[in-house]
Amino acid sequence: MSCFLTNSSVGKKLVMSITGCFLVLFILFHMSMNLTMLFSYEAYDLICEFLGANWYALVATVVLAGGVAIHFLYAFILTINNYRARGSQRYDVTVQEKGVSWASKNMLVLGVIVILGLGLHLVHFWSKMQLVELMGHHASVVEGMEVGATSGAALMMITFSKWYNVVLYIVWFAALWFHLTHGVWSMFQTVGWANDTWYPRLKCLGNIVATLIFLGFTVVAVYCFFVSTPDLIESLI
């Protein structure tokens, strides 16, 4: 079984599908969590406290990091193998669109942008929240202000009060949108669901999921940019 998953092209795609499904579910959860900001800063901070340096959150973080690493590694290997076997044709699909979508031809590039955005996110949030708690501290200095490790609402306001952060994150969300419009239906294609009947439905589902994720994350970033004030941030710290 392990040889099939590591040596076979189909096996590698199956690993990509499983890890991709896991990551999509996590992204949907993260988006839902962020949307809490629109209704209650206190509720958002409670969620951040619940998902701090507790053992279950740490286990989930390790599993998530492993999923990201495996997904990206297998994507890189598959892309290299496909280049060698078929030149510039990236993916061998069982159902073809009328014209190959831009996203399907640039999945690795989009994946790199997504990984870079993830790195930015880790610097802005994880390093000032869960990592701070792991180091035995309760707060960190952000923009000259002491922000508690579980003060997620304050950190969101501080981060997205800068227009360039909003732009960078929207670029990240857009890359994620393109990546998911192809990736979601491709997951089902790998397990044999993308026949002539199901392909249009799965393509539509992929677009819906990707759009919901893009809008969910973007609206929170834009909201924070417009409502953040020094007084509000101070009250949240």
Side-chain angles (χ1 to χ4, degrees):
M1 181 65 176
S2 61
C3 291
F4 168 73
L5 295 178
T6 57
N7 298 333
S8 162
S9 176
V10 175
K12 292 186 181 77
K13 290 179 181 179
L14 181 60
V15 172
M16 285 281 292
S17 298
I18 294 171
T19 55
C21 182
F22 167 71
L23 294 174
V24 169
L25 292 175
F26 171 79
I27 291 170
L28 286 168
F29 164 76
H30 197 339
M31 179 202 69
S32 302
M33 168 185 161
N34 282 12
L35 288 174
T36 308
M37 275 281 296
L38 303 179
F39 308 101
S40 172
Y41 304 142
E42 293 79 9
Y44 183 74
D45 283 349
L46 284 174
I47 295 174
C48 291
E49 183 177 356
F50 179 74
L51 298 175
N54 302 301
W55 69 268
Y56 46 83
L58 295 177
V59 170
T61 300
V62 172
V63 172
L64 178 63
V68 171
I70 293 171
H71 190 77
F72 186 76
L73 176 62
Y74 272 67
F76 182 77
I77 292 172
L78 278 170
T79 301
I80 296 300
N81 290 344
N82 286 336
Y83 264 126
R84 290 174 177 172
R86 293 187 295 276
S88 61
Q89 183 179 345
R90 309 287 179 87
Y91 293 94
D92 183 18
V93 297
T94 56
V95 180
Q96 288 284 357
E97 299 178 70
K98 293 181 179 179
V100 181
S101 70
W102 181 86
S104 69
K105 296 191 294 181
N106 293 276
M107 287 296 279
L108 186 62
V109 174
L110 291 169
V112 170
I113 297 174
V114 170
I115 290 295
L116 291 175
L118 177 60
L120 183 69
H121 180 67
L122 292 176
V123 170
H124 280 153
F125 295 97
W126 180 77
S127 67
K128 297 176 176 62
M129 299 179 77
Q130 190 177 74
L131 180 59
V132 168
E133 289 191 85
L134 287 174
M135 295 173 64
H137 304 301
H138 300 289
S140 60
V141 177
V142 183
E143 300 289 333
M145 295 172 281
E146 188 174 275
V147 181
T150 60
S151 299
L155 195 54
M156 288 272 274
M157 290 294 180
I158 293 171
T159 302
F160 293 122
S161 65
K162 307 292 189 297
W163 67 268
Y164 48 83
N165 282 338
V166 177
V167 172
L168 286 173
Y169 274 81
I170 290 178
V171 170
W172 179 30
F173 301 150
L176 188 61
W177 183 88
F178 279 110
H179 194 77
L180 292 176
T181 55
H182 176 77
V184 171
W185 74 261
S186 183
M187 292 187 302
F188 294 104
Q189 171 197 309
T190 299
V191 296
W193 285 11
N195 52 38
D196 291 336
T197 301
W198 277 97
Y199 173 77
R201 300 173 185 175
L202 295 174
K203 186 67 176 175
C204 180
L205 175 64
N207 290 338
I208 291 172
V209 171
T211 302
L212 285 175
I213 289 173
F214 173 80
L215 292 177
F217 281 117
T218 299
V219 72
V220 174
V222 173
Y223 166 81
C224 290
F225 175 74
F226 281 107
V227 305
S228 61
T229 62
D231 290 341
L232 175 58
I233 292 173
E234 186 177 351
S235 69
L236 294 174
I237 294 176

